Amino acid sequence: MSESLIVLKRRISTIKSTSKITRAMDLVSSVKYQKWKKVYDDTLIYFKSMKDTMDILLSNLDISKYGFSYYYTGYEANNSIYVIVTSTLGLCGAYNYNIFKTVDPLLKEGDLLVVLGSKGLIHYKNSGFDIDDKYANIMEQISYSDVKSLRHYLFRLYREKKYKKISLCYTKYVNSLSFVPVIYDIAPLNLDLFEKKKNYSYPPLFVPDCKTCADELFPHYADSSIYKMLIESQLSEQASRRNAMQSATDNAEDILDNLKIVYNKTRQGKITQEITEVVAGSLASERS
């Protein structure tokens, strides 16, 4: 066998092995995607209920009339807190790149980066920003209690009045093929995001009053929002990894098919050459 055939055979064997790995990872990602999709769908029910309640409360408040807490008004400061949601594992396509591309231009000296996921820690390791890795591992097993702890921690930093806002950069899930990096302001709350609901068959009753209810409800709404966004990021990560592994497997199959064609052509050419040499030698011996 010629040297070129040996090289081609090795490449075919290598690509076959790689294809098996990417196909296995595709299957694992598909299972994880289905798991997180169910969690996300269940989470949406609770989040939408909290959102509807906030819509009702804020629709019945005159913002200019009441002195709101820092949840709604914010502080006068120059710096911000950015909670950046990244992955812990790799091989998920452009998932992390799109997050960094979105948030990096907004960062400035003095901002605090609360990074979730090891890929974010690697990316910002030598960036010169103030990095907080206290909750870097929260994405490995997201729980509501951990999210509540994270929210308490963020608001404790926020109440120090060193930061004007808390922004969470996460990946919004659109569908299984589309994910969009989004920056959402946790505090102060963007009141434009809430619907004005004024038409009621029976006016709602607020005890002791609407403002107190709004202030009391906000931390729970923030918990449900953060939890929903972290679940959404995890779902987007798994979908992105599944798509990346599917593409890698398809590309491996295409390369494998092309290499097999080249291998067969080379092998056929080698056989033809050997037959020609045998025939030529036979004819030469007959003439002699």
Side-chain angles (χ1 to χ4, degrees):
M1 183 179 289
S2 68
E3 184 66 26
S4 60
L5 288 177
I6 294 174
V7 172
L8 285 170
K9 201 167 185 179
R10 285 175 180 170
R11 288 188 63 190
I12 290 172
S13 177
T14 300
I15 293 173
K16 280 183 177 179
S17 298
T18 303
S19 178
K20 290 179 181 179
I21 295 172
T22 56
R23 187 177 289 106
M25 293 185 69
D26 178 16
L27 293 174
V28 172
S29 298
S30 296
V31 173
K32 289 184 177 181
Y33 169 78
Q34 295 299 331
K35 168 196 168 184
W36 287 108
K37 183 65 168 63
K38 184 180 184 306
V39 175
Y40 174 67
D41 290 339
D42 294 340
T43 302
L44 277 182
I45 299 172
Y46 177 68
F47 171 75
K48 288 179 178 178
S49 297
M50 294 292 293
K51 173 70 165 50
D52 289 342
T53 306
M54 287 293 292
D55 287 340
I56 295 171
L57 283 168
L58 296 177
S59 296
N60 287 272
L61 278 174
D62 184 353
I63 304 301
S64 61
K65 184 178 179 181
Y66 294 94
F68 274 84
S69 68
Y70 65 92
Y71 295 139
Y72 303 93
T73 57
Y75 297 115
E76 292 294 331
N78 295 322
N79 303 118
S80 303
I81 299 174
Y82 286 94
V83 184
I84 304 173
V85 184
T86 65
S87 71
T88 296
L89 301 177
L91 298 177
C92 50
Y95 174 80
N96 291 306
Y97 170 78
N98 290 333
I99 288 287
F100 301 141
K101 183 180 177 182
T102 300
V103 72
D104 284 1
L106 304 177
L107 304 178
K108 60 184 183 299
E109 185 178 355
D111 289 340
L112 173 64
L113 310 187
V114 180
V115 181
L116 312 184
S118 61
K119 294 299 180 182
L121 292 178
I122 294 171
H123 178 76
Y124 293 108
K125 182 178 181 181
N126 299 314
S127 64
F129 291 108
D130 187 8
I131 310 298
D132 190 324
D133 61 354
K134 183 178 177 65
Y135 290 90
N137 298 324
I138 195 174
M139 298 301 293
E140 294 180 6
Q141 188 65 43
I142 304 171
S143 68
Y144 202 84
S145 60
D146 288 339
V147 169
K148 190 173 182 179
S149 173
L150 171 62
R151 190 262 302 166
H152 277 292
Y153 178 67
L154 293 173
F155 283 178
R156 186 164 62 251
L157 294 174
Y158 188 54
R159 285 194 296 270
E160 295 175 358
K161 301 183 180 182
K162 296 179 181 178
Y163 306 100
K164 61 182 178 181
K165 65 178 181 178
I166 304 173
S167 297
L168 191 147
C169 185
Y170 74 106
T171 304
K172 181 178 178 61
Y173 177 81
V174 180
N175 55 52
S176 61
L177 298 174
S178 180
F179 335 101
V180 183
V182 173
I183 296 180
Y184 176 84
D185 291 340
I186 300 172
L189 193 63
N190 183 0
L191 300 178
D192 294 334
L193 298 177
F194 296 89
E195 301 176 15
K196 301 297 183 183
K197 296 185 176 181
K198 291 293 185 181
N199 299 321
Y200 305 104
S201 299
Y202 300 95
L205 298 176
F206 303 102
V207 179
D209 57 71
C210 187
K211 178 186 177 299
T212 302
C213 289
D215 284 341
E216 290 293 329
L217 181 65
F218 176 79
H220 302 288
Y221 173 75
D223 289 341
S224 67
S225 298
I226 296 172
Y227 184 72
K228 192 267 292 186
M229 288 184 282
L230 295 191
I231 295 295
E232 201 166 356
S233 292
Q234 187 65 262
L235 175 61
S236 298
E237 177 190 339
Q238 298 304 331
S240 182
R241 182 173 290 109
R242 184 186 67 171
N243 295 339
M245 292 301 99
Q246 284 179 346
S247 296
T249 302
D250 292 341
N251 291 337
E253 294 296 333
D254 291 339
I255 295 173
L256 197 57
D257 290 340
N258 291 332
L259 283 177
K260 285 180 178 179
I261 292 173
V262 174
Y263 176 83
N264 290 332
K265 284 183 177 180
T266 304
R267 183 170 175 271
Q268 187 63 45
K270 178 66 176 175
I271 293 173
T272 302
Q273 181 183 353
E274 290 176 354
I275 292 174
T276 302
E277 290 175 354
V278 170
V279 172
S282 177
L283 291 175
S285 63
E286 289 178 359
R287 288 173 185 163
S288 61

